[in-house]
């Protein structure tokens, strides 16, 4: 099946760094507020630069990390994955199989599982996570498919991804690292319930 049919919509949004404080139209910010917003923006930019520097030196791509985590439980699917640098760079991967959720930490340089697995029941998840994981059961596409499409569309490498409901629509959201910034790519899977026999 061509990639165009896999996903109905690809939207590349602005860089994630633009999340600083915004003043209301009728409010004139004080000098202290402007300095605070500028400082917050500088901190965010520095954090993003640090993430990019760490990510660009890793040896294990996100697709391989997902495959490693899925291989720990045959037949499992990746629900979400994120790149983290609080210590050595790792991918935190949540996979699902039947009514179980497995969280594993994969070393981004060696591909080894670097922490003890956390297993839980779907019943232990909060409402938003549970809704996303239940929705994933009915979607034929895998997160790895979304990652490949997003990487091609945004011309970079994925460092995080998952399923998310936004404005009433269920989307795969993939964060892409380019040479100097992050992009968020949203992909809408085909509508749930569409049958492959219908053309």
């Amino acid at each position: 099946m061509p990639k165009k049919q896999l996903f109905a919509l690809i939207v590349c949004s602005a860089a994630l760094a633009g999340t600083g404080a915004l003043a209301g139209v009728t409010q004139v910010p004080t000098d202290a507020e402007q300095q605070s917003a500028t400082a917050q923006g500088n901190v965010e930019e520095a954090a993003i630069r640090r993430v990019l520097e760490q990510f660009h030196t890793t040896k294990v791509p996100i697709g391989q990390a997902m495959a490693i985590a899925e291989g720990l439980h045959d037949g499992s699917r990746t629900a979400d994955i994120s790149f983290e640098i609080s210590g050595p760079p790792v991918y935190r991967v949540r996979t699902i199989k039947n009514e179980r959720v497995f969280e594993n930490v994969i070393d981004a340089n060696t591909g080894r599982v670097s922490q003890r697995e956390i297993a839980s029941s779907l019943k232990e998840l909060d409402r938003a996570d549970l809704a996303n994981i239940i929705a994933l059961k009915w979607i034929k596409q895998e997160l790895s498919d979304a990652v490949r499409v997003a990487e091609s569309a945004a011309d970079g490498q994925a460092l995080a991804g998952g399923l998310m409901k936004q404005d009433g629509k269920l989307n795969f959201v993939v964060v892409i690292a380019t040479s100097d910034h992050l992009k968020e790519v949203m992909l809408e899977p085909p509508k749930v319930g569409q049958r492959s026999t219908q053309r």
Side-chain angles (χ1 to χ4, degrees):
M1 182 181 291
K3 286 182 182 176
K4 286 180 187 176
Q5 292 177 346
L6 288 177
F7 302 100
L9 181 64
I10 298 176
V11 180
C12 294
S13 71
L16 296 179
T19 58
L22 298 174
V25 175
T26 58
Q27 177 183 353
V28 177
T30 65
D31 285 344
E33 288 172 332
Q34 286 177 336
Q35 288 174 352
S36 175
T38 301
Q40 180 182 353
N42 290 341
V43 167
E44 288 174 358
E45 285 178 31
I48 288 171
R49 273 196 307 275
R50 185 168 173 250
V51 167
L52 288 169
E53 286 168 8
Q54 291 280 323
F55 181 71
H56 288 311
T57 63
T58 60
K59 296 179 174 85
V60 177
I62 197 170
Q64 185 179 345
M66 286 189 281
I68 291 166
E70 289 172 357
L72 297 172
H73 300 278
D74 282 342
S76 66
R77 297 177 71 185
T78 300
D80 53 62
I81 184 168
S82 59
F83 179 73
E84 298 179 1
I85 59 168
S86 55
V90 297
Y91 293 102
R92 186 170 301 277
V93 191
R94 282 197 312 171
T95 57
I96 58 167
K97 182 177 180 182
N98 301 327
E99 300 299 312
R100 304 289 295 163
V101 179
F102 305 97
E103 184 176 304
N104 285 283
V105 177
I106 309 295
D107 188 295
N109 285 308
T110 65
R112 291 192 201 109
V113 177
S114 64
Q115 293 179 19
R116 191 167 159 255
E117 178 178 84
I118 298 172
S120 57
S121 164
L122 287 180
K123 295 173 186 173
E124 297 174 52
L125 298 176
D126 66 31
R127 179 178 265 160
D129 277 348
L130 180 61
N132 288 346
I133 287 178
I134 288 172
L136 183 64
K137 288 181 169 188
W138 298 100
I139 294 173
K140 291 181 182 178
Q141 286 67 39
E142 302 291 336
L143 180 56
S144 56
D145 297 327
V147 163
R148 280 192 296 275
V149 172
E151 287 178 332
S152 176
D155 196 25
Q157 292 181 296
L159 56 74
L163 203 57
M164 178 177 141
K165 197 165 194 174
Q166 187 173 349
D167 299 328
K169 291 184 178 178
L170 196 62
N171 297 306
F172 282 113
V173 178
V174 182
V175 179
I176 301 290
T178 63
S179 58
D180 61 349
H181 63 280
L182 299 176
K183 291 181 180 178
E184 186 179 84
V185 180
M186 294 194 331
L187 304 107
E188 184 179 338
K191 298 288 184 234
V192 174
Q194 284 182 339
R195 295 180 185 273
S196 57
T197 54
Q198 293 176 342
R199 300 273 177 188

